[in-house]
Amino acid sequence: MNKSLIIIGIFIALSSFKSYAQKTTIEQDSVEIEFVKNDKLKSKYPKTYIGTIFNGFRITVLEVDIKNIDLKKGEFDPNKFYLISDKPKFQYRPLDIFISDDKNDYSRFELVTKKKPKETSNMRETYDPNIKDTYLDYKIDGVSGIKIPINLGSAEFPDKHVFHFKPKVINDSRILIYFYISSDFIKSGTLYYGNEKIAETKLK
């Protein structure tokens, strides 16, 4: 076999491996985040609260592994995750976030809203104005933000809320981050945690 072809093959293999082995250490939060993959929302994933996917919209799921490098540190804040899409540039806050347990079952990070739900609304226990929405600390100038409100009421009496998540102490775990992508022609983006770039990825 031609040696140049072998070299090209090795280079492609290494490049492919690199795209699925991106690790970032966040010293401030004492965690290491490794990008695993991006996938379409499938039946194997936990169900999110969004029931209807409109034409031209889709849910993409980014999987990351979290390694706690200092168990004495405080809670992990999932609100620092966000996605910047390419061409056009939009900033997406997570729609939903799940974490695996010791049995590889997934549970949702507890949802929080600063807007008090109506008396007739579902999930009134989510109201907690004291939990900071740190996503707002990382708004990118010049980039339009995309947020998806969830209706806790009914079609006749809506009560829409944009949720963030309650931080919690975690062990080494896999995390699923759901994003509601606003258009079929958005094909790639970059996942961030705070100011740190975690991974550039195609968006399925």
Side-chain angles (χ1 to χ4, degrees):
M1 182 181 293
N2 190 305
K3 289 184 178 180
S4 62
L5 292 178
I6 294 176
I7 293 172
I8 292 172
I10 293 173
F11 176 78
I12 292 173
L14 290 174
S15 299
S16 176
F17 174 78
K18 182 179 179 182
S19 67
Y20 289 94
Q22 302 177 65
K23 294 183 181 180
T24 304
T25 299
I26 316 292
E27 293 185 1
Q28 178 181 350
D29 294 77
S30 295
V31 294
E32 179 184 85
I33 303 176
E34 179 179 358
F35 177 73
V36 178
K37 66 175 180 178
N38 165 51
D39 207 350
K40 296 178 181 178
L41 182 64
K42 298 177 180 178
S43 59
K44 68 175 183 177
Y45 291 123
K47 187 177 180 180
T48 184
Y49 284 112
I50 294 293
T52 302
I53 306 298
F54 297 102
N55 290 336
F57 289 70
R58 67 194 190 276
I59 293 179
T60 187
V61 182
L62 301 188
E63 297 187 25
V64 297
D65 283 337
I66 302 292
K67 181 179 180 181
N68 193 329
I69 57 178
D70 187 350
L71 294 175
K72 296 180 181 179
K73 290 288 185 177
E75 297 171 318
F76 178 75
D77 184 1
N79 299 293
K80 295 183 180 182
F81 282 119
Y82 58 94
L83 179 71
I84 302 292
S85 64
D86 297 329
K87 297 179 182 179
K89 284 190 175 294
F90 292 118
Q91 181 174 353
Y92 296 87
R93 75 150 65 226
L95 170 69
D96 223 337
I97 303 179
F98 291 82
I99 184 169
S100 65
D101 60 22
D102 294 336
K103 299 178 181 179
N104 289 323
D105 293 327
Y106 285 94
S107 60
R108 173 181 282 110
F109 272 94
E110 186 176 335
L111 296 173
V112 181
T113 177
K114 290 184 177 294
K115 173 186 168 185
K116 192 171 185 178
K118 297 177 180 178
E119 292 292 332
T120 55
S121 291
N122 301 314
M123 297 170 58
R124 296 189 66 245
E125 70 279 3
T126 60
Y127 175 62
D128 193 337
N130 297 315
I131 297 179
K132 184 179 180 180
D133 183 4
T134 49
Y135 168 83
L136 300 175
D137 293 341
Y138 302 100
K139 291 290 293 177
I140 307 300
D141 291 339
V143 178
S144 298
I146 303 293
K147 54 187 179 182
I148 307 297
I150 296 174
N151 185 13
L152 300 185
S154 62
E156 186 177 3
F157 301 103
D159 184 18
K160 296 183 178 181
H161 295 255
V162 175
F163 286 101
H164 56 291
F165 306 90
K166 184 176 181 179
K168 63 188 294 186
V169 176
I170 65 172
N171 296 317
D172 298 353
S173 304
R174 176 155 296 185
I175 289 181
L176 308 179
I177 314 165
Y178 292 42
F179 291 100
Y180 196 67
I181 305 300
S182 58
S183 180
D184 280 339
F185 60 79
I186 293 177
K187 300 298 184 183
S188 61
T190 302
L191 177 67
Y192 285 84
Y193 183 82
N195 292 317
E196 298 293 333
K197 182 186 295 186
I198 303 302
E200 297 177 0
T201 180
K202 299 295 183 182
L203 297 176
K204 296 184 179 180

